[in-house]
């Protein structure tokens, strides 16, 4: 059974899933969920290495004597797990989620030495993700030297953004060098649009998608194509996130530099010490913050309220660009599981005709696609659990088939 192995390598986790071929149509894979899926936790120095298969209990892995071998141990565990649960699978390629393709890659591509060099040059634009994405590629190239390694980019879904959406008010020379808005979470938005076409007659209209998780962004689509998004040049822009600041006056950065902060300190602050974590002083996890706020923690309540306010503000901006909203979709860890955030967003967009079915919203817990709008709502509201791996697998199959 020919299959694509999809890898999403991060700083602390390695997510994986196997997607089998289905039919003869380019890019067509089985409609059922991926199998041999899960993740390895504890890749960070000092972490606890564990294999966490989907739908099964975690299994502790042997700790390597050398910290530099943690990734090798993780890969060996993935290979062993896939061989055990899918012995008939024939892996024909590895597809990698890569956050930033910059101006170089607008579509999936084979990851040869030239591609790796160009993608490495984009590391400053996505320091939380790009180095780990590429470390995963290097490790898989070494482990499977005969297999095609295919990069699938979060920026690709936004490749055809309108000119004005991509521009900063900076000199033309900088724009020509690639200092422009790109947009992210593209694999997730691609998947959401695919699902929406199958369940809503309005999918070709004005769609506002909210990917809300540790990373968070909004995307406005028309006719299934991205026309506006909250993230820009880097994955810092737009919404407040788990530990990232979101939109920030660049004057703050200049001020910190004048105060003696180093570039590394500012980067640490903006990417890892801000957002829900920074405001609350407690956690980047919305679930924990909800419990703390219910127990009377004022900083947790402020963090939640600010997250909701920033979401409302950005959603209003994208709705204005779209000229209204026909469909609102929530996805990502918070978007799929946190009914209170969805309810707050719906209340804020009531002026656009959004009316939520409270019972349906409370019942939606991220375990499936669900319609959340009331019968009288002028805007459809959906929750769609995302599957970035499926989009990466589809893209990899399509690239292999066209070759």
């Amino acid at each position: 059974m020919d299959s694509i192995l999809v890898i999403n390598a991060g700083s602390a986790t390695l997510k994986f899933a196997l997607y089998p071929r289905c039919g003869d149509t380019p890019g067509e894979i089985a409609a059922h969920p991926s199998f041999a899926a899960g993740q390895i936790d504890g890749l960070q120095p000092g972490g606890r290495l564990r294999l966490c298969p989907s739908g099964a209990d975690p299994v502790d892995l042997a700790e390597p004597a050398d910290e530099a071998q943690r990734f090798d141990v993780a890969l060996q565990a993935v290979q062993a797990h896939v061989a055990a649960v899918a012995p008939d699978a024939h892996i024909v390629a590895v597809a990698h989620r890569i956050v930033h393709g910059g101006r170089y890659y607008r579509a999936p591509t084979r990851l040869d030495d030239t591609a790796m060099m160009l993608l490495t040059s984009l590391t400053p634009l996505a320091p939380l993700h790009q180095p780990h994405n590429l470390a995963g590629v290097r490790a898989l190239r070494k482990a499977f030297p005969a297999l095609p390694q295919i990069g699938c980019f979060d920026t690709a879904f936004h490749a055809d953004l309108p000119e004005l959406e991509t521009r900063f008010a900076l000199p033309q020379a900088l724009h020509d060098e690639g200092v422009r808005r790109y947009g992210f979470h593209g694999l997730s938005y691609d998947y959401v649009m695919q699902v929406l076409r199958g369940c809503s007659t309005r999918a070709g209209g004005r769609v506002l998608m909210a990917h809300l998780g540790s990373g968070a962004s909004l995307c406005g689509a028309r006719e299934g194509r991205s026309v506006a998004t909250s993230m820009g040049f880097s994955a810092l822009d737009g919404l407040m996130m788990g530990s990232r600041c979101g939109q920030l006056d660049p004057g703050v950065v200049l001020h910190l530099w004048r105060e003696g902060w180093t570039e590394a300190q500012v980067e640490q602050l903006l990417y890892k010490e801000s957002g829900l974590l920074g405001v609350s002083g407690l956690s980047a996890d919305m679930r924990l913050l909800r419990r703390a706020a219910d127990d009377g923690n004022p900083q947790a309540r402020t963090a939640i309220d600010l997250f909701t306010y920033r979401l409302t503000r950005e959603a209003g901006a994208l709705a204005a660009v779209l000229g209204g909203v026909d469909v609102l979709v929530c996805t990502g860890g918070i978007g799929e599981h946190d009914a209170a955030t969805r309810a707050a967003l719906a209340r804020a967009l009531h002026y656009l005709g959004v009316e939520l079915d409270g019972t349906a919203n409370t019942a939606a817990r991220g375990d499936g696609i669900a319609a959340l709008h009331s019968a009288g709502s002028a805007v459809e509201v959906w929750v769609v659990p995302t599957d970035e791996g499926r989009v990466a697998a589809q893209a990899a199959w399509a690239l292999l088939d066209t070759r």
Side-chain angles (χ1 to χ4, degrees), residues 157-158 161 165 182-186 188-190 192-193 206-212 216-222 224-231 239 311 314-315 318-319 322 325 327-329:
F157 184 73
H158 308 288
L161 282 171
E165 179 69 16
Y182 291 97
F184 299 91
H185 291 132
S188 178
Y189 291 133
D190 193 338
V192 168
M193 285 306 311
R206 301 164 298 180
V207 178
L208 178 59
M209 295 176 280
H211 179 107
L212 308 177
S217 70
L218 291 168
C219 176
R222 192 181 294 115
R225 302 171 71 89
S226 175
V227 297
T229 186
S230 61
M231 278 185 170
L239 300 178
L311 176 59
E314 292 289 335
L318 264 66
L322 289 171
V325 177
V327 185
L328 172 65
V329 189

Side-chain angles (χ1 to χ4, degrees), residues 293-359:
D294 290 343
D295 290 337
N297 185 309
Q299 289 175 279
R301 172 49 56 193
T302 298
I304 294 170
D305 290 346
L306 184 57
F307 181 88
T308 303
Y309 176 77
R310 295 298 309 175
L311 176 59
T312 299
R313 197 173 189 273
E314 292 289 335
L318 264 66
V321 171
L322 289 171
V325 177
D326 299 308
V327 185
L328 172 65
V329 189
C330 293
T331 191
I334 296 173
E336 295 168 21
H337 296 93
D338 193 66
T341 294
R342 295 193 300 260
L345 179 58
R347 285 194 299 272
L349 299 181
H350 180 75
Y351 70 97
L352 293 173
V354 177
E355 293 184 12
L356 207 62
D357 182 319
T359 301

Side-chain angles (χ1 to χ4, degrees), residues 4-10 14-17 71 75 93-100 107-112 116 119 130 132-144 147-154 187 388-389 391-393 395-396 399:
I4 295 281
L5 176 63
V6 176
I7 294 292
N8 183 353
L14 174 70
K15 298 178 182 178
F16 62 91
F71 216 109
L75 282 181
V94 182
H96 299 264
R97 179 210 177 193
I98 298 179
V99 166
H100 215 311
T109 191
R110 290 282 290 266
L111 296 172
D112 56 17
M116 292 297 289
L119 293 172
Q130 200 85 346
H132 307 296
N133 296 161
L134 299 182
V137 177
R138 294 186 186 99
L140 269 295
R141 288 179 76 185
K142 181 180 177 181
F144 302 105
L147 289 183
Q149 307 287 325
I150 298 172
C152 303
F153 305 98
D154 262 343
L187 298 179
E388 295 162 312
V391 174
L399 182 64

Side-chain angles (χ1 to χ4, degrees), residues 68-352:
Q69 295 179 330
R70 301 185 80 79
F71 216 109
D72 293 336
V73 172
L75 282 181
Q76 291 168 11
V78 170
Q79 290 175 264
H81 178 70
V82 170
V85 302
D88 296 330
H90 173 229
I91 299 175
V92 298
V94 182
H96 299 264
R97 179 210 177 193
I98 298 179
V99 166
H100 215 311
R103 54 180 173 159
Y104 305 118
Y105 298 108
R106 300 164 58 92
T109 191
R110 290 282 290 266
L111 296 172
D112 56 17
D113 291 341
T114 299
M116 292 297 289
M117 179 185 66
L118 292 173
L119 293 172
T120 299
S121 73
L122 298 172
T123 294
L125 309 190
L128 281 188
H129 304 90
Q130 200 85 346
H132 307 296
N133 296 161
L134 299 182
V137 177
R138 294 186 186 99
L140 269 295
R141 288 179 76 185
K142 181 180 177 181
F144 302 105
L147 289 183
Q149 307 287 325
I150 298 172
C152 303
F153 305 98
D154 262 343
T155 48
F157 184 73
H158 308 288
D160 295 318
L161 282 171
E163 172 72 9
L164 294 181
E165 179 69 16
T166 70
R167 290 298 299 262
F168 291 120
L170 294 172
Q172 181 69 38
L174 287 173
H175 182 77
D176 293 342
E177 291 173 11
V179 182
R180 46 154 289 185
R181 304 186 73 253
Y182 291 97
F184 299 91
H185 291 132
L187 298 179
S188 178
Y189 291 133
D190 193 338
Y191 179 76
V192 168
M193 285 306 311
Q194 289 185 34
V195 170
L196 204 60
R197 292 186 192 103
C199 61
S200 173
T201 58
R202 300 185 183 183
R206 301 164 298 180
V207 178
L208 178 59
M209 295 176 280
H211 179 107
L212 308 177
S214 58
S217 70
L218 291 168
C219 176
R222 192 181 294 115
E223 297 181 356
R225 302 171 71 89
S226 175
V227 297
T229 186
S230 61
M231 278 185 170
F233 178 67
S234 73
L236 271 179
D237 200 10
L239 300 178
M240 174 180 171
M241 302 174 226
S243 64
R244 281 172 268 173
C245 60
Q247 186 181 50
L248 182 73
D249 182 341
V252 174
V253 176
L254 297 177
H255 168 74
L256 294 176
W257 282 343
R258 294 191 193 102
E259 291 293 306
W261 288 55
T262 66
E263 178 182 333
Q265 288 174 321
V266 171
E267 183 174 270
Q268 175 77 9
L269 170 71
L270 302 186
Y271 277 98
K272 297 184 178 181
E273 297 174 354
S274 299
L276 291 171
L277 174 63
V279 176
S280 71
L282 180 64
S283 175
D285 191 322
M286 181 64 82
R287 295 166 297 185
L288 192 154
L289 293 180
R290 290 279 181 202
R291 293 194 291 270
D294 290 343
D295 290 337
N297 185 309
Q299 289 175 279
R301 172 49 56 193
T302 298
I304 294 170
D305 290 346
L306 184 57
F307 181 88
T308 303
Y309 176 77
R310 295 298 309 175
L311 176 59
T312 299
R313 197 173 189 273
E314 292 289 335
L318 264 66
V321 171
L322 289 171
V325 177
D326 299 308
V327 185
L328 172 65
V329 189
C330 293
T331 191
I334 296 173
E336 295 168 21
H337 296 93
D338 193 66
T341 294
R342 295 193 300 260
L345 179 58
R347 285 194 299 272
L349 299 181
H350 180 75
Y351 70 97
L352 293 173

